[in-house]
Amino acid sequence: MRMAMKPKTPLVQKFFLHLPPPSLKDNTAEIDRLKRHLRSEFGIEPIRLPFHLIPEWVRLLRQARYRVTATVAMLPPLYQLLQLEPGDTTGRNFGLAVDLGTTRLAYQLWDLGQRKLVAETDSRNPQTRFGPDILTRIQWAEDPLKQKELQGCVVAEINRILGCWAEIYGFSSQEVFSLALAGNTTMTHLFLGLDPASIRREPYIPMVNSVDPLQARELGLNLHPQGLIYVFPNVGSYLGGDVLAGILNSKLYRQEHLALLVDVGTNAEVVLGNSDWLLGCAGAAGPALEGGVAQMGMTAGEGAIEKVRIDPGTKELTYSLIGQGPPKGICGSGLIDLTAEMFMAGLLDLRGKFNLKVPTERWVEVDGQPAYRLVPPEETEDHRPIVLTQVDLDILLRSKAAMYTILTTLVESVGYSLSDIERFYVAGAFGNHIDPRRAIILGLLPDLPLERYLPLGNTSLKGAAEVLLDYHLLEEIKKIAGHITYVEMNVNQAFMNRFSAARFIPHTDTALFPSVRVPAI
Amino acid sequence: MRMAMKPKTPLVQKFFLHLPPPSLKDNTAEIDRLKRHLRSEFGIEPIRLPFHLIPEWVRLLRQARYRVTATVAMLPPLYQLLQLEPGDTTGRNFGLAVDLGTTRLAYQLWDLGQRKLVAETDSRNPQTRFGPDILTRIQWAEDPLKQKELQGCVVAEINRILGCWAEIYGFSSQEVFSLALAGNTTMTHLFLGLDPASIRREPYIPMVNSVDPLQARELGLNLHPQGLIYVFPNVGSYLGGDVLAGILNSKLYRQEHLALLVDVGTNAEVVLGNSDWLLGCAGAAGPALEGGVAQMGMTAGEGAIEKVRIDPGTKELTYSLIGQGPPKGICGSGLIDLTAEMFMAGLLDLRGKFNLKVPTERWVEVDGQPAYRLVPPEETEDHRPIVLTQVDLDILLRSKAAMYTILTTLVESVGYSLSDIERFYVAGAFGNHIDPRRAIILGLLPDLPLERYLPLGNTSLKGAAEVLLDYHLLEEIKKIAGHITYVEMNVNQAFMNRFSAARFIPHTDTALFPSVRVPAI
């Protein structure tokens, strides 16, 4: 799957045309003249245009004295002429990339003429008011009216963000001709107004994996009405377009060496492979690792404790926050840090149980159970202490064990071992925040040299933006989608054995983690 | 321009599919499953489908237990899925071919499953109530409301015919998935709702020559709403889609030997060439030859005198009619017959003037001028005699001279002479009715061996029907359109000299017509 490099060209490209005006010697019809020029000057052929716009565009050609800008959807084998404008407007071409997450939407606005990122932001997925998780929303969507609402609120949210940006950066929605969006399979279905019910019902069949490019007006999106909407194809019910965008962005599929991409979101998705083959799997390992379940857990955001250090000698604890204080809770990376540090300081044993024999004033009692206090109530925002309970810890350890087991199972299914992974890409906010060294100590990530770990950030969003900037990638996406094999994680006895072994810190088999020196307690 | 022969496949083809139902081992999404099957079983790829129909079609797939009929517009490089139905309906696929003439519309209804012509008819072009000729209609079309009416009445007329046939032959409009239409450039513009004004204004630029395939609903045609409308491309303002359909039907562009196609309609269009090159021209030679201007002239139809014989000795005249009597008038072929026979009987001189010295009781006086009476008043339908006046005769001779001059000029422009023409195709009702021998005597057609003359009938209609039956011809039409060179008939001194010489019967240069023995008067 290596490809020849072609010069990058946006998914929707503007061409300034100066047509030779008609004459007795060159009396090709107006529209054919336009097509002829696009072919001879830019190699754009064949191209279709909206029939109903012919009279308007012929008038425009004549009034503009045959100096016009053609906006073309670069969708070979059949290009589409989206817009014709008088004069040279090639400098005005905006595109929006969207990562449609279950919890949050992330956006990038691109000036495609300048190939420049204009703005980036994210916002809450308004569907969360129907329910935080995918399953609840699938249930809501059984009612066709609610399904329309689920679609409508996401479309409205994207329109809202675009509207704000248009005001701030001084462009019109008519100048936005492309939107590329990646999300998981259910989110994609809801966005398209398709019933996702069958995704979660045996035999787990989405309605559609690869949807043809759409026009903005078909979905009610406030771009140019003919604006092109590209939705990343899903691989299957459990591997969505967001993972495909991630593979695209990581370039994992172009490399000879073995690489692994892990995206910890509401679910964890893992892709393993190289330029010859790709395996993908998905499993429920995520929420705790994202800070989603611990009593004081929160997603990485303002006021979250993201980094923790404990002096092994004095047991003194220091932490750092995202943004300005006061602290509100602890996010996934903070939790991983905390647990690893507690373990190295002897506050936890191999099985992940509190070692109450080690004296520290931080041992407290919550609901009659022992807990470890990070922040006293007087220092927090809501004047409740930030604590770690044994229950939280157990959940975290189950999550990390599930993660490690999924990684091991996937890698060994093709006869490799974890140490063969030469690049370990960690996607998502999770990837940006976790400290790989602490994650290794915990036994969440395999004991690889640290330089093999590469945080990539929001690969779904970045992959979507890449497509806006280069339509040639559509072909690559198609190849990746056709290329990847989904591996079902059968929760069988072998899996359960592995899982149990991985619930220790870092693992029952310490030989797997030679760099982690277990402290003598 | 020779092409490999591929098996004929209709422009819109139905495929019966029995998809493997989804299972845990094959959980490709529903729509992708459909596409996969079309690709693997029939080589149909890539294919687009209407986004808004996805939910309906997924439901249908499931309800029909994955046994469905897919109706596909065969438009590579991008096929289009028009319809999905439960079960096997491949036997129900109808198509309509239309020749959109200035005066009349001609239709063929095809059963595309059986490759069988179901019915054929023609009807008056309802636009004639706005004016008989193209120019009047172009003027009407300057008013946008009238332009809409001009379009609407033709669409309504096609719908009317289709509705009648649906009732007679027991099919529904939903089972008609294709319509192919050929007309001249102005008629095509009016049909598409495009202003034809610029066609007749220097530099004579149509709005569009090749219009992309349309959906029936875009034009208000009563086919299946997604039914495919194929409109033959025009070559230029004066060579329309009807001529292109004629070239296609004559197969002139596939033959090595030199051939000529002439279509005498309201205008006369001439195409010369072979498999290597094609020249086309158009000129005003038609109306008189179609019986359009003579006082008693009429188009070939019920009650028209189409054949005339005059005994050179007795000067006795016999005629035959189209259909049952009584006679109403004389059509183009009758007029040609009459003139040639009068000439051979010595009733006309070389210059085409009545030879009143030859005695016959048929010489009469009309408005103080001599005339030749074919039918006495008591034998005609409206009790007016059918006569030929000197004025009519002069018009006919100018027409035939124009025709012969156009043929000569075109053929000599590429260094050939008329005798090099190995196939002389005569299209239209005109071609079916004229007697080539009489046309040669008159000097309308060149003096070629009679077997070289081949009447083809309505090549525009037949060409349109061919496309319904085989989409591979779209590629050929594109090549023909790109291949043909339009020759402007400059009415210069050389042309006028030729024209004057051709006004004699058969010609001033009798050596050009060796087979015609001029009678000694």
Side-chain angles (χ1 to χ4, degrees):
Chain A
M1 271 223 293
R2 255 158 307 259
M3 331 260 167
M5 285 299 177
K6 288 173 194 156
K8 288 185 180 178
T9 308
L11 186 56
V12 172
Q13 172 74 317
K14 284 190 161 191
F15 298 96
F16 174 61
L17 316 175
H18 188 184
L19 308 179
S23 68
L24 280 175
K25 288 200 174 149
D26 176 10
N27 57 4
T28 300
E30 303 286 16
I31 294 294
D32 305 72
R33 172 177 307 272
L34 180 67
K35 287 188 175 181
R36 185 183 67 184
H37 198 79
L38 279 164
R39 177 175 65 241
S40 64
E41 294 295 306
F42 303 104
I44 302 297
E45 181 197 30
I47 187 164
R48 289 269 165 87
L49 49 88
F51 169 69
H52 69 280
L53 290 176
I54 290 178
E56 186 181 323
W57 286 0
V58 167
R59 208 160 32 238
L60 191 150
L61 274 174
R62 290 170 181 165
Q63 281 169 0
R65 297 171 182 273
Y66 300 92
R67 302 168 74 98
V68 292
T69 299
T71 306
V72 177
M74 303 299 280
L75 295 170
L78 194 59
Y79 298 89
Q80 284 167 27
L81 187 52
L82 303 182
Q83 158 94 323
L84 204 65
E85 294 165 290
D88 184 353
T89 68
T90 48
R92 307 290 292 179
N93 183 12
F94 297 90
L96 189 70
V98 180
D99 164 43
L100 175 52
T102 306
T103 311
R104 296 195 76 77
L105 283 90
Y107 317 82
Q108 283 187 346
L109 175 69
W110 281 84
D111 178 334
L112 298 171
Q114 312 284 327
R115 308 186 68 80
K116 226 180 64 186
L117 179 65
V118 179
E120 181 164 7
T121 192
D122 68 333
S123 72
R124 191 169 182 76
N125 184 335
Q127 291 176 347
T128 46
R129 70 179 134 87
F130 289 85
D133 61 295
I134 288 184
L135 214 58
T136 325
R137 291 187 221 168
I138 290 179
Q139 281 159 356
W140 275 113
E142 280 172 23
D143 173 352
L145 282 177
K146 284 275 175 280
Q147 188 190 306
K148 265 205 178 340
E149 265 186 73
L150 282 159
Q151 178 187 34
C153 70
V154 165
V155 167
E157 180 65 4
I158 296 173
N159 285 342
R160 187 181 70 83
I161 298 288
L162 199 56
C164 291
W165 275 345
E167 212 159 292
I168 295 168
Y169 298 103
F171 61 91
S172 123
S173 63
Q174 299 289 310
E175 295 176 301
V176 187
F177 288 98
S178 49
L179 182 150
L181 176 141
N184 67 46
T185 307
T186 301
M187 286 300 110
T188 302
H189 272 58
L190 291 175
F191 174 69
L192 294 171
L194 302 175
D195 181 5
S198 60
I199 292 175
R200 293 290 161 131
R201 202 183 290 140
E202 207 181 302
Y204 314 110
I205 308 292
M207 275 204 179
V208 61
N209 279 334
S210 296
V211 72
D212 301 326
L214 296 159
Q215 292 193 348
R217 65 168 143 214
E218 291 183 270
L219 292 173
L221 285 159
N222 276 352
L223 281 64
H224 189 283
Q226 254 118 255
L228 180 69
I229 311 300
Y230 176 76
V231 177
F232 272 75
N234 304 304
V235 180
S237 286
Y238 296 97
L239 272 188
D242 49 354
V243 178
L244 220 59
I247 298 173
L248 183 76
N249 180 248
S250 71
K251 303 284 171 281
L252 180 150
Y253 67 101
R254 282 190 183 170
Q255 300 164 359
E256 274 178 57
H257 52 244
L258 188 68
L260 188 142
L261 169 70
V262 58
D263 191 348
V264 179
T266 306
N267 240 342
E269 288 113 0
V270 185
V271 176
L272 179 74
N274 54 31
S275 51
D276 289 325
W277 53 271
L278 290 171
L279 286 185
C281 75
L289 302 177
E290 268 207 320
V293 286
Q295 193 179 326
M296 293 307 298
M298 62 182 283
T299 49
E302 191 78 16
I305 295 173
E306 57 157 354
K307 211 169 165 174
V308 178
R309 292 291 175 271
I310 298 174
D311 187 297
T314 64
K315 315 298 176 204
E316 197 170 314
L317 180 142
T318 50
Y319 62 84
S320 61
L321 288 176
I322 297 178
Q324 307 297 322
K328 291 181 195 166
I330 185 163
C331 70
S333 64
L335 214 51
I336 290 163
D337 257 28
L338 171 64
T339 316
E341 289 285 316
M342 285 180 76
F343 174 69
M344 292 309 284
L347 296 167
L348 296 181
D349 65 16
L350 286 166
R351 297 167 304 129
K353 298 298 168 198
F354 289 142
N355 197 351
L356 299 171
K357 288 175 291 178
V358 177
T360 157
E361 79 283 6
R362 292 179 181 273
W363 295 129
V364 291
E365 211 170 88
V366 173
D367 300 333
Q369 299 294 320
Y372 180 81
R373 194 191 67 210
L374 280 93
V375 188
E378 57 276 19
E379 289 171 26
T380 68
E381 199 189 47
D382 61 358
H383 303 299
R384 297 197 312 157
I386 295 174
V387 296
L388 177 73
T389 66
Q390 186 68 52
V391 175
D392 293 341
L393 192 55
D394 289 349
I395 293 172
L396 178 71
L397 292 178
R398 272 206 297 279
S399 271
K400 80 101 186 171
M403 189 65 172
Y404 188 80
T405 308
I406 290 171
L407 295 179
T408 312
T409 306
L410 185 67
V411 171
E412 293 187 356
S413 74
V414 277
Y416 285 91
S417 74
L418 289 170
S419 59
D420 294 321
I421 300 169
E422 301 214 27
R423 293 268 187 290
F424 197 113
Y425 299 110
V426 192
F430 180 76
N432 280 345
H433 289 108
I434 62 154
D435 174 345
R437 181 64 205 146
R438 300 293 172 305
I440 290 170
I441 292 171
L442 189 60
L444 165 65
L445 295 182
D447 195 1
L448 301 174
L450 288 183
E451 64 274 16
R452 295 198 192 170
Y453 285 100
L454 297 160
L456 293 183
N458 190 336
T459 52
S460 170
L461 180 62
K462 284 155 76 183
E466 280 189 83
V467 168
L468 290 180
L469 287 159
D470 189 13
Y471 78 92
H472 297 104
L473 296 178
L474 296 187
E475 226 15 73
E476 303 208 15
I477 292 168
K478 221 168 128 183
K479 283 183 193 162
I480 296 169
H483 205 63
I484 193 167
T485 308
Y486 180 70
V487 179
E488 192 74 49
M489 275 293 134
N490 290 312
V491 184
N492 53 22
Q493 196 54 49
F495 185 94
M496 286 314 295
N497 291 346
R498 275 193 178 127
F499 174 73
S500 300
R503 283 180 67 176
F504 275 50
I505 305 177
H507 196 276
T508 45
D509 182 1
T510 52
L512 291 171
F513 289 80
S515 81
V516 182
R517 285 209 289 158
V518 179
I521 301 173
Chain B
M1 268 221 293
R2 257 159 305 258
M3 330 258 167
M5 285 299 177
K6 289 172 196 156
K8 289 186 180 179
T9 308
L11 185 57
V12 172
Q13 173 74 317
K14 283 190 161 191
F15 298 96
F16 175 60
L17 317 175
H18 187 182
L19 307 180
S23 68
L24 279 175
K25 287 200 174 152
D26 175 11
N27 58 4
T28 301
E30 303 286 15
I31 295 294
D32 305 72
R33 172 177 306 272
L34 180 67
K35 287 187 175 182
R36 185 183 66 183
H37 198 78
L38 279 164
R39 176 175 66 241
S40 64
E41 293 297 306
F42 304 103
I44 302 296
E45 180 199 29
I47 188 164
R48 290 268 167 88
L49 49 88
F51 169 68
H52 68 280
L53 291 176
I54 290 179
E56 185 182 324
W57 286 0
V58 168
R59 208 157 36 235
L60 191 150
L61 274 173
R62 290 170 181 165
Q63 281 169 359
R65 296 172 181 271
Y66 300 91
R67 302 168 73 97
V68 291
T69 299
T71 306
V72 177
M74 303 297 280
L75 296 171
L78 193 60
Y79 298 89
Q80 284 166 27
L81 188 52
L82 303 182
Q83 159 93 324
L84 204 65
E85 292 165 292
D88 184 352
T89 68
T90 49
R92 306 290 293 177
N93 182 11
F94 296 91
L96 190 70
V98 180
D99 164 43
L100 175 52
T102 307
T103 311
R104 296 195 75 78
L105 282 91
Y107 317 83
Q108 283 188 349
L109 175 69
W110 281 83
D111 179 334
L112 298 171
Q114 310 285 326
R115 309 187 67 80
K116 225 181 64 185
L117 179 64
V118 178
E120 181 165 7
T121 192
D122 68 333
S123 72
R124 193 169 181 74
N125 184 334
Q127 291 177 346
T128 46
R129 68 178 136 87
F130 290 85
D133 61 293
I134 287 183
L135 213 57
T136 325
R137 291 187 222 167
I138 291 179
Q139 282 159 356
W140 274 113
E142 281 173 22
D143 172 352
L145 282 177
K146 286 274 175 280
Q147 188 190 305
K148 265 204 176 344
E149 264 187 72
L150 282 159
Q151 178 187 34
C153 70
V154 165
V155 167
E157 180 64 3
I158 296 173
N159 285 342
R160 186 180 70 83
I161 297 289
L162 198 57
C164 292
W165 275 345
E167 211 159 292
I168 296 168
Y169 298 103
F171 61 89
S172 124
S173 62
Q174 299 289 310
E175 294 176 302
V176 187
F177 287 99
S178 50
L179 184 150
L181 176 142
N184 67 45
T185 307
T186 301
M187 286 301 111
T188 303
H189 272 59
L190 291 175
F191 173 69
L192 294 171
L194 302 176
D195 181 3
S198 59
I199 293 175
R200 295 289 161 132
R201 202 185 290 140
E202 206 181 304
Y204 313 111
I205 309 291
M207 275 203 179
V208 61
N209 278 334
S210 296
V211 71
D212 301 326
L214 297 160
Q215 292 194 349
R217 65 167 144 215
E218 290 183 273
L219 291 173
L221 285 158
N222 276 352
L223 281 66
H224 189 284
Q226 254 119 255
L228 180 69
I229 311 299
Y230 175 75
V231 177
F232 272 75
N234 305 303
V235 180
S237 286
Y238 295 97
L239 272 189
D242 49 354
V243 178
L244 219 60
I247 298 172
L248 183 76
N249 180 246
S250 71
K251 302 284 172 282
L252 180 150
Y253 67 100
R254 281 190 184 172
Q255 300 163 359
E256 273 179 55
H257 52 245
L258 188 67
L260 188 142
L261 169 70
V262 57
D263 191 348
V264 179
T266 306
N267 240 343
E269 288 113 0
V270 185
V271 176
L272 179 74
N274 55 31
S275 51
D276 289 325
W277 53 271
L278 290 170
L279 286 185
C281 75
L289 302 177
E290 269 206 319
V293 288
Q295 194 179 323
M296 295 306 299
M298 61 182 285
T299 49
E302 191 79 15
I305 294 172
E306 58 155 352
K307 209 169 168 174
V308 178
R309 291 292 176 270
I310 298 174
D311 185 297
T314 63
K315 316 297 178 203
E316 198 171 310
L317 179 142
T318 51
Y319 63 83
S320 61
L321 288 176
I322 298 178
Q324 308 296 321
K328 291 182 194 164
I330 186 165
C331 70
S333 64
L335 213 52
I336 290 162
D337 257 27
L338 171 65
T339 316
E341 289 285 317
M342 285 180 76
F343 175 68
M344 293 309 283
L347 297 167
L348 296 180
D349 66 14
L350 288 165
R351 295 168 305 128
K353 297 298 168 196
F354 288 143
N355 197 353
L356 299 170
K357 284 176 291 179
V358 177
T360 158
E361 78 283 4
R362 293 180 180 271
W363 296 129
V364 293
E365 212 169 83
V366 172
D367 300 333
Q369 299 294 320
Y372 180 82
R373 194 192 67 212
L374 281 94
V375 188
E378 58 276 21
E379 290 172 24
T380 67
E381 199 188 48
D382 61 356
H383 303 300
R384 297 198 311 158
I386 296 174
V387 297
L388 178 72
T389 65
Q390 186 66 54
V391 174
D392 291 342
L393 192 53
D394 289 349
I395 292 172
L396 178 69
L397 292 178
R398 274 206 295 280
S399 271
K400 80 100 187 170
M403 189 64 172
Y404 188 81
T405 307
I406 290 170
L407 295 179
T408 312
T409 306
L410 184 66
V411 171
E412 293 187 357
S413 75
V414 275
Y416 284 93
S417 73
L418 290 169
S419 59
D420 294 321
I421 300 168
E422 301 215 26
R423 292 269 187 292
F424 197 114
Y425 299 109
V426 192
F430 180 77
N432 279 345
H433 289 106
I434 62 154
D435 174 346
R437 181 65 204 146
R438 300 293 172 302
I440 291 170
I441 291 170
L442 188 61
L444 165 65
L445 295 182
D447 195 1
L448 301 173
L450 287 183
E451 65 274 15
R452 295 198 193 171
Y453 284 100
L454 296 161
L456 293 183
N458 190 337
T459 52
S460 170
L461 180 62
K462 284 155 74 182
E466 281 189 81
V467 167
L468 290 180
L469 288 158
D470 190 13
Y471 79 92
H472 297 103
L473 296 178
L474 296 187
E475 228 12 74
E476 303 209 13
I477 292 167
K478 222 168 127 183
K479 283 183 193 163
I480 297 169
H483 206 61
I484 193 167
T485 309
Y486 180 70
V487 179
E488 191 74 47
M489 275 292 135
N490 290 313
V491 183
N492 53 21
Q493 196 54 48
F495 186 93
M496 286 314 294
N497 291 347
R498 275 192 178 129
F499 174 71
S500 301
R503 283 180 68 177
F504 275 47
I505 304 177
H507 196 277
T508 46
D509 183 359
T510 52
L512 292 171
F513 289 82
S515 81
V516 181
R517 287 211 286 159
V518 178
I521 300 172

